[in-house]
């Protein structure tokens, strides 16, 4: 018992140390922030709390790596450090998704999960498409239980009807706040723009006249440019210092975060959760690729930040019992790349619009 208490105390100290380090890194990343809201500490804290709730915790060093991965080893670092309004929305969406997953999968509180989900889709509307996956997670739980998702149980149409009836209260708690926010948003849209489906995006001055928006806000014609910006665009090569710089209007997420290559490793333990996470990534990616442009001034593909909580789930589930040398190398390389990008964007004039 004493050993367990000491272990918990050490974990808490480790958490506080990591959270403080992340906070300081973000605090000093940008000498001239675009806003006055340091919200990244809460994002890091949400991921760290989610990690503690794992029923089968990987070894401590792998925990540390996975906890730091979303905030330091991805394009999240540089883009959130811009601290502009668009980045702020992505940050809150990321936090909302992480909180919704935590209160659905780890510490089951459907109402709080709904509150965080409302925060997520209130800042990035496309997150609403993942609502069925959260409902699926709720249906997979034992009624009134806070145990993790069963890994061997399959749903049929008959059991779905039974479970929806049995878990109607949990589902109602989850959808209550998002539904209220959605209705309020539609009312606001009608009052301001005289159409419930008009979210005001196309009313941004001069936006509709841009070449990329000639087919509308969403279009299949935008898919090639978005796919290239997200997956293939590389660095610019210069003949002088600093020789390699980001392009500023998109870039491969795998080049900015080689740690993502671990998504394709073998060793899945919980197929329902992993498959659901891949479905969420696929649905969100498809919608992001239909957006008229890749997102303007950014490092790598900033819209891809809303994929990170689902990526985090997959990495948690496929993590081995021991931290491999490859995992450490990919993590260190990813942190170094994103630190370099943050330095170039925020502390130098090498990368300009």
């Amino acid at each position: 018992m004493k050993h367990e208490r000491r272990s918990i105390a050490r974990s808490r100290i480790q958490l506080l140390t990591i959270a403080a380090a992340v906070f300081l890194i973000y605090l000093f990343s940008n000498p001239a922030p675009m806003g006055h809201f340091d919200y990244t500490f809460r994002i890091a804290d949400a991921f760290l709390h989610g990690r503690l709730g794992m029923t089968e915790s990987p070894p401590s060093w792998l925990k540390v790596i996975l906890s730091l991965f979303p905030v330091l080893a991805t394009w999240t670092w540089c883009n959130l450090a811009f601290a502009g309004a668009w980045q702020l929305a992505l940050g809150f969406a990321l936090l909302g998704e992480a909180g919704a997953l935590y209160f659905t999968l780890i510490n089951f509180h459907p109402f709080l999960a709904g509150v965080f989900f409302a925060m997520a889709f209130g800042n990035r509307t496309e997150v609403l498409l993942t609502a069925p996956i959260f409902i699926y997670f709720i249906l997979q739980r034992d009624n009134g239980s806070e145990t993790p998702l069963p890994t061997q149980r399959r749903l049929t149409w008959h059991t779905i009807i039974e479970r929806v009836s049995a878990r109607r209260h949990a589902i109602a708690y989850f959808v209550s706040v998002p539904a209220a926010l959605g209705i309020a948003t539609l009312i606001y849209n009608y009052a301001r723009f005289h159409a419930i489906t008009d979210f005001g995006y196309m009313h941004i001055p001069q936006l509709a006249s841009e070449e990329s928006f000639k087919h509308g806000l969403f279009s299949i014609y935008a898919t090639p440019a978005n796919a290239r910006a997200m997956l293939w665009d590389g660095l610019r090569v210069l003949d002088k210092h600093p020789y390699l710089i980001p392009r500023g209007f998109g870039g491969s997420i795998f080049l900015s975060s080689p740690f993502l290559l671990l998504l394709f490793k073998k060793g899945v333990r919980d197929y329902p959760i992993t498959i659901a996470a891949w479905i969420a990534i696929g649905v969100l990616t498809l919608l992001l690729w239909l957006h008229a442009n890749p997102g303007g001034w950014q490092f790598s593909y900033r819209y891809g930040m809303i994929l990170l909580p689902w990526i985090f789930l997959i990495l948690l589930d496929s993590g081995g019992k021991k931290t491999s040398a490859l995992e450490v190398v990919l993590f260190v390389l990813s942190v170094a790349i994103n630190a370099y990008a943050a330095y170039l964007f925020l502390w130098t004039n090498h990368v300009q619009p």
Side-chain angles (χ1 to χ4, degrees), residues 97-316:
E97 288 178 290
L101 287 170
Y102 174 75
F103 286 114
T104 303
L105 296 176
I106 307 300
N107 186 10
F108 189 57
H109 288 286
F111 178 76
L112 292 178
V115 170
F116 277 94
F117 185 74
M119 177 191 297
F121 95 81
N123 284 279
R124 294 301 306 181
T125 309
E126 59 269 24
V127 175
L128 187 61
L129 294 178
T130 63
I133 296 176
F134 284 95
I135 300 297
Y136 166 76
F137 287 158
I138 294 174
L139 293 179
Q140 282 285 72
R141 300 194 71 93
D142 292 330
N143 196 27
S145 171
E146 294 189 2
T147 57
L149 288 174
T151 58
Q152 302 297 327
R153 191 175 301 174
R154 288 187 175 183
L155 292 179
T156 65
W157 286 113
H158 178 70
T159 57
I160 287 175
I161 295 173
E162 288 184 345
R163 292 189 182 197
V164 168
S165 177
R167 290 149 183 79
R168 61 187 182 278
H169 295 299
I171 294 173
Y173 286 138
F174 174 77
V175 303
S176 58
V177 175
L181 177 61
I183 293 171
T185 301
L186 296 179
I187 293 173
Y188 173 82
N189 290 347
Y190 183 80
R192 184 172 184 184
F193 305 114
H194 308 294
I196 62 174
T197 57
D198 189 342
F199 289 83
Y201 197 95
M202 296 302 291
H203 293 278
I204 298 174
Q206 300 181 347
L207 184 71
S209 62
E210 293 183 10
E211 178 67 19
S212 58
F213 285 87
K214 67 180 181 180
H215 296 291
L217 183 57
F218 293 97
S219 170
I220 191 67
Y221 296 102
T223 301
N226 279 289
R228 183 177 64 253
M230 178 180 178
L231 300 177
W232 301 302
D233 275 354
L235 301 174
R236 291 176 56 199
V237 180
L238 306 178
D239 57 1
K240 59 181 180 179
H241 179 80
Y243 302 109
L244 291 175
I245 64 173
R247 294 185 179 275
F249 289 98
S252 170
I253 60 175
F254 294 101
L255 286 178
S256 65
S257 182
F259 197 77
L260 292 180
L261 295 174
L262 296 175
L263 280 170
F264 308 107
K265 65 180 292 189
K266 297 180 180 180
V268 174
R269 292 190 297 268
D270 197 323
Y271 280 96
I273 291 181
T274 299
I275 292 173
W278 275 116
I279 291 173
I281 291 172
V283 170
L284 291 174
T285 299
L286 176 61
L287 189 59
L288 293 176
W289 284 4
L290 293 173
H291 192 270
N293 66 25
W297 187 245
Q298 62 190 310
F299 170 59
S300 190
Y301 190 70
R302 68 180 179 91
Y303 287 157
M305 286 167 57
I306 63 172
L307 306 178
L308 288 174
W310 304 98
I311 291 173
F312 187 70
L313 270 186
I314 296 171
L315 293 176
L316 281 175

